[in-house]
Amino acid sequence: MNPMSVCSSSSSSSGSWSSTKAWIVHGIVAGVAIAVAIGARVYLGPPKKFRSRVVGIIPARFASSRFQGKPLVQILGKPMIQRTWERAKLATTLDHVVVATDDEKIRDCCRSFGADVIMTSESCRNGTERCSEAIQKLEKKYDIVVNIQGDEPLIEPEIIDGIVKALQEAPDAVFSTAVTSLKLEDAFDPNRVKCVVDNSGYAIYFSRGLIPFNKSGKANPQFPYMLHLGIQSYDTRFLKIYPQLEPTPLQLEEDLEQLKVLENGYKMKVIKVDHEAHGIDAPEDVEKIESLMRERNLS
C-alpha cells in the first residue's frame, strides 16, 4: 500500500470530521438561539397593538349659554345624555364609557340608567379639558380617549370605531376626528363647523365660516365642503398636556378648541364618513330630531 495514499486518506477523513463537528456545533448554537427566542416570545406574549386601550368619555355640563340643561332634555322619553351613552356603548373599540360632568343633576340622572360618572371641575373651559381631568381620575390606564359629544344622540358607533382606528394607524398624529358632507343650506351657519384637510388626510384648518371661501362670496354648489362632526379622539399622553398649552389666537377668535392643537404644531388625522349630522345646538333642534327618529322608527 502506498503510504502517501494512506496519509492522504487519513487527512481527508480528518478534514471531513472537523467540518461535520463545526456543523453540529453550529446547529446546536442555532437551536439554542431559536429556543431562547421562542421562550422569550412565550414569556413576553404577542406584540401589543399600538394604542390598544380605549375609553370613551362623554363630557356634559348643565350651564350652557345657548341651551341651559341640554344634556337632560327629553328626546322621545329619554334624556339626551342617555341616548348618547347608549349609542357609544355599541362601539366595538371602546373598553369603557363614562360621563364627565360638573353637575350633580346630570350625575344623578346618569347613574339612574347605569352609567359610570366622573365629577370634574366647573373651571373646565371645554370638553377636551373636561376629558383631560376625567382621564386622570380613572383607576385604569388608557392609551386613547374618545371625546363623544353629548349632543349627538344618534351618533353611529361605526364613526367612533373609525376615528379610534385612524389614530391607531397614524403614530405621527395625537388627535383624530371625523367630517361629513356639508349641506349647502348650512354653509354660513356658524354653529356648523367646517374643515379642510391635506392630501394625506390631516387637518389644515377648522372654521365657523365657510372654508374654502371663493372670491364670489357665495357657496359653490359643486364644491365638496366638509362639516366637522364633534367627536374626536386623543392620544392620552397628549391629552394630559393639552390644558397646559396657552390659548391661541385662532382658537380664541373662532372659539374652536381643536385649533389650539393645530396652532401648536400637532398633527390631526381626519376621516370622511357618510353621516347626516343631528347635533342639538338649540331648543328648536329637539323637535327636528324627534321627527327624524319617528320617521326611522327609532325608539
Side-chain angles (χ1 to χ4, degrees), residues 39-46:
R41 180 63 176 269
V42 170
Y43 176 74
L44 296 174

Side-chain angles (χ1 to χ4, degrees), residues 17 28 49 54 78 81 95 112 126 129 140 142 168 170 189 198 205 215 220 243 261 277 288 292 297:
W17 171 238
I28 291 171
K49 185 178 178 182
V54 186
K78 287 184 181 180
I81 190 73
D95 299 307
S112 73
N126 51 51
E129 290 192 7
K140 291 186 178 180
Y142 295 95
Q168 289 172 334
D189 184 347
D198 66 18
Y205 193 67
K215 56 186 179 180
N220 178 2
V261 180
K288 295 177 185 177
L292 179 69
N297 293 318

Side-chain angles (χ1 to χ4, degrees), residues 138-154:
L138 290 173
E139 292 182 3
K140 291 186 178 180
K141 302 300 180 184
Y142 295 95
D143 305 307
I144 291 177
V145 175
V146 184
N147 179 347
I148 304 166
Q149 298 296 308
D151 57 5
E152 280 272 356
L154 296 184

